Every structure is written in C-alpha cells, then in structure tokens.
C-alpha cells in the first residue's frame, strides 16, 4: 500500500496555521507529512517563509506522523549544522524522520552574500555535504577541506539508527547520480512518461530505498475557483531549470511570471474540482512505483482541502 502524506508549504502558510493544518491532516487520515525548507517564498503573493527546523520539532511532537524535509546543505546551511539538526530530531523521534538533500535555489541561498555557484559545482558541493553528514551521524569526528570546510566536528547527540538521507531529483541524470549515495529518491509530479524515466534511472543505477513523490494540486468546489487558486499562487513555479534555480528574489519570480496564463499553470499543477479525478491521478502515480506520495494543495487555505480529501479521496487510494 502506498502512503499518502500532507506537504507542509512554509512559503504559503503561517507556521502556527501550518501546525494546525498538519494535525488536522493526521486526523483526516493522512499517513505522513513532509516540509519545505525555504528562506524566501516563490512569490510575494505567497507571503510567508517560516523556519522549517523550528517548526519540525513542534510538528513531530504534536502528531504521530513520520516527517521528512527537503534541504540544501552547503551555502545557507553548513553541513555539520544540518547533521546536528537531523541527529537531534532522529534521537527525539526514532524512526519518524528523514531528510532529502538537493543542490538548492538561489532565491534561498543568495542571502549569505556568497556567489551562487555553477550547477556542476553545486552538485560537487552537495556530494561533499552528504559525506560529511553521514560521517557525523555515524559518530565520526570530521575534518574536511573542499567546497565546504569542516574542522574537527563531532555529534554528541545521535540516534541509534541514522535517519534516511534521500536524493532530490527532477531529471533522470540527477536521479542516476543520486543512486550513488541516497537511501531513497524524491521528485515532483510530471507527465507519467517523465516520472517513469526519472524513477527508472534511479532504480537502473542501483538506487535503493523508497521512492517518494510530491504532487502539486489545486482543488476547490468549482473548476473556475481551482484554476484561479492555482494561477494566483503557483504561476511563479512553472519555469523549468535553470530559471527556477537561478532567479534570486520573489520579486523577480513575480516579474517573469506576470503574463503566465492559467493553462500553463495546469501543466505543473493537477487542477480540478472533481475529487474522483484527483484520486485517479494519485492511483496512477502509485502504479508507477512510488511508495510515498505527498499532496500539496497550492492554495493558502488548507482546511477544506484536508477535509475533502480525507473524506472522499484517501478512501479511493491504493
């Protein structure tokens, strides 16, 4: 059976309201949760961006759900600090926490004032960070000189079993690379052929562990409202790499997306008022081989979505 989880979007929802939403999701029947980790939203209209790591401790305490987070170590976050954060949550909530690691976006990382590296350097930097984090979680003292620097770091509080480190990938090439080091894979919704290609690249390269999928969707009582919500909140998210990697402020995302039409947003968000259609799409994703699927309603109001999907969609899923 596939596990269906609730995606906690810090860019769109105040952290106090997001905590209420994830507890409501657990009560509605969602079996897991995951969290974004942004410094900046994708648009000024989204209007929030709480600190994920503070919130995760509260959310793990407030629910019994397993949780994950998507994180980009190496610039905004030193890998030793991320290892400590992962280790502490893993020690406090054994078996309930995982972290997916990716190369990040300039919109979150430029705040340090350091230059935004080329993609190949970001990939190399992430690989160094992965090795540092794994060694620290294993109890080793770590010193490292490379694209990141570590001096005699050691974690004094660690879980008995290190949390899983997943690879975040949206392309077959990155998925294949993640297979070298990751305990699992996470990607985002795309056409079925593309998802099959990404997941196949990971498995064919020897990728182990679970495959997780984040699904962007928009649901409302009418198609017109669902379209309007998706267009208002998510039209700044239609741009493929490298645009989404390299733009560095919410204002720039709003400027380049000002003329994006609603039908283009429907290419990256599943938009429908038909709960049966949403259920059918989610079952199709499960059939592709994804063991965990995280639902992200792209509207800022989460309550009606949680209640409707808990009552009418989750019972239809396999």
């Amino acid at each position: 059976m596939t596990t269906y989880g609730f995606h906690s979007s810090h860019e769109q929802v105040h952290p106090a309201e997001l905590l209420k939403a994830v507890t409501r999701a657990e009560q509605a029947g969602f079996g897991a949760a995951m969290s974004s980790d942004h410094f900046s939203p994708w648009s000024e209209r989204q209007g929030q961006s709480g600190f994920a790591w503070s919130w995760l401790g509260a959310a793990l305490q407030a629910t019994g759900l397993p949780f994950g987070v998507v994180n980009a170590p190496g610039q905004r976050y030193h890998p030793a600090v991320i290892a400590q954060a992962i280790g502490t949550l893993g020690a406090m909530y054994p078996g309930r926490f995982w972290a997916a690691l990716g190369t990040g976006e300039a919109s979150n990382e430029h705040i340090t004032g350091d230059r935004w590296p080329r993609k190949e350097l970001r990939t190399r930097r992430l690989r160094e960070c992965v090795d540092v984090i794994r060694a620290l979680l294993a109890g080793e003292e770590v010193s490292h000189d490379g694209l990141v620097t570590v001096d005699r770091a050691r974690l004094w509080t660690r879980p008995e079993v290190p949390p899983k480190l997943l690879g975040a990938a949206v392309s077959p090439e990155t998925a294949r690379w993640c297979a070298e080091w990751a305990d699992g894979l996470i990607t985002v919704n795309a056409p079925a052929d593309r998802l099959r290609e990404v997941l196949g690249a990971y498995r064919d390269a020897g990728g182990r562990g679970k495959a997780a999928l984040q699904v962007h969707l928009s649901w409302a009582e009418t198609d017109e409202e669902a379209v309007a919500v998706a267009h208002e909140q998510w039209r700044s998210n239609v741009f493929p790499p490298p645009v989404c990697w390299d733009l560095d402020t919410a204002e720039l995302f709003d400027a380049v997306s000002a003329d994006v039409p609603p039908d283009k947003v429907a290419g990256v968000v599943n938009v429908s008022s038909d709960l049966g259609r949403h259920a059918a799409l989610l079952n199709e994703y499960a059939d592709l081989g994804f063991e965990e699927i995280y639902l992200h309603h792209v509207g800022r109001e989460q309550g009606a979505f949680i209640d409707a999907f808990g009552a009418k969609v989750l019972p239809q899923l396999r």
Side-chain angles (χ1 to χ4, degrees):
M1 289 287 290
T2 300
T3 298
Y4 293 90
F6 173 78
H7 174 69
S8 308
S9 179
H10 286 279
E11 308 93 286
Q12 298 176 275
V13 185
H14 187 283
E17 293 302 313
L18 199 56
L19 188 62
K20 294 176 185 176
V22 76
T23 57
R24 186 170 179 167
E26 181 181 34
Q27 294 163 4
F30 286 81
M34 65 171 285
S35 168
S36 59
D37 181 5
H38 279 240
F39 195 88
S40 171
W42 298 99
S43 165
E44 287 192 291
R45 294 181 304 278
Q46 292 176 351
Q48 297 289 336
S49 210
F51 184 55
W53 295 92
S54 299
W55 184 88
L56 280 163
L60 282 157
Q61 182 65 28
T63 72
L65 297 174
F67 263 86
V69 67
V70 181
N71 174 263
Q75 186 159 330
R76 177 171 47 125
Y77 291 117
H78 192 280
V81 173
I82 290 302
Q84 186 183 32
I86 291 171
T88 297
L89 290 178
M92 292 179 70
Y93 305 101
R96 289 179 55 201
F97 183 69
W98 54 266
L101 305 178
T103 55
E105 299 98 10
S107 60
N108 299 308
E109 309 305 325
H110 77 91
I111 61 166
T112 64
D114 296 330
R115 66 183 285 270
W116 180 234
R118 300 186 307 276
K119 179 62 167 71
E120 65 268 22
L121 292 177
R122 302 199 304 273
T123 299
R124 283 170 45 199
R125 182 174 68 182
L126 175 59
R127 190 66 180 84
E128 291 183 18
C129 289
V130 169
D131 290 344
V132 167
I133 292 168
R134 283 204 186 281
L136 288 168
L137 289 172
E140 299 175 23
E141 181 179 283
V142 177
S143 294
H144 178 83
D145 294 289
L147 293 172
V148 293
T149 301
V150 186
D151 178 42
R152 294 167 295 169
R154 176 184 171 189
L155 290 186
W156 293 86
T157 298
R158 297 182 295 112
E160 291 186 10
V161 178
K164 301 293 188 184
L165 301 181
L166 277 61
V170 296
S171 71
E173 296 76 18
T174 301
R176 193 173 297 112
W177 174 75
C178 287
E180 300 173 8
W181 59 265
D183 298 318
L185 179 76
I186 189 166
T187 188
V188 297
N189 61 297
D193 287 347
R194 179 68 169 182
L195 290 175
R196 194 176 289 110
E197 189 179 4
V198 170
L199 184 53
Y202 181 73
R203 295 299 188 203
D204 291 346
R208 62 188 185 273
K210 68 184 178 184
L213 177 69
Q214 180 188 10
V215 176
H216 303 303
L217 63 92
S218 180
W219 172 82
E221 293 289 346
T222 67
D223 281 349
E224 292 77 14
E225 185 181 356
V227 168
V229 167
H231 187 247
E232 196 268 343
Q233 279 291 294
W234 215 247
R235 67 176 179 266
S236 54
N237 293 68
V238 301
F239 304 105
V243 175
C244 60
W245 294 336
D246 291 344
L247 291 181
D248 59 11
T249 67
E251 294 82 358
L252 278 176
F253 274 100
D254 283 337
V256 301
S257 64
D259 297 322
V260 169
D263 60 344
K264 188 167 184 178
V265 181
V268 298
V269 179
N270 295 339
V271 181
S272 180
S273 63
D274 184 347
L275 293 170
R277 172 166 170 72
H278 283 290
L281 288 169
L282 293 169
N283 279 324
E284 289 177 14
Y285 296 138
D287 290 342
L288 292 173
F290 290 99
E291 293 98 343
E292 295 182 5
I293 298 177
Y294 294 88
L295 281 56
H296 172 211
H297 171 53
V298 300
R300 297 184 70 188
E301 166 54 45
Q302 297 290 307
F305 150 71
I306 291 169
D307 293 345
F309 274 62
K312 300 291 181 63
V313 175
L314 295 183
Q316 299 184 57
L317 303 180
R318 53 181 181 268

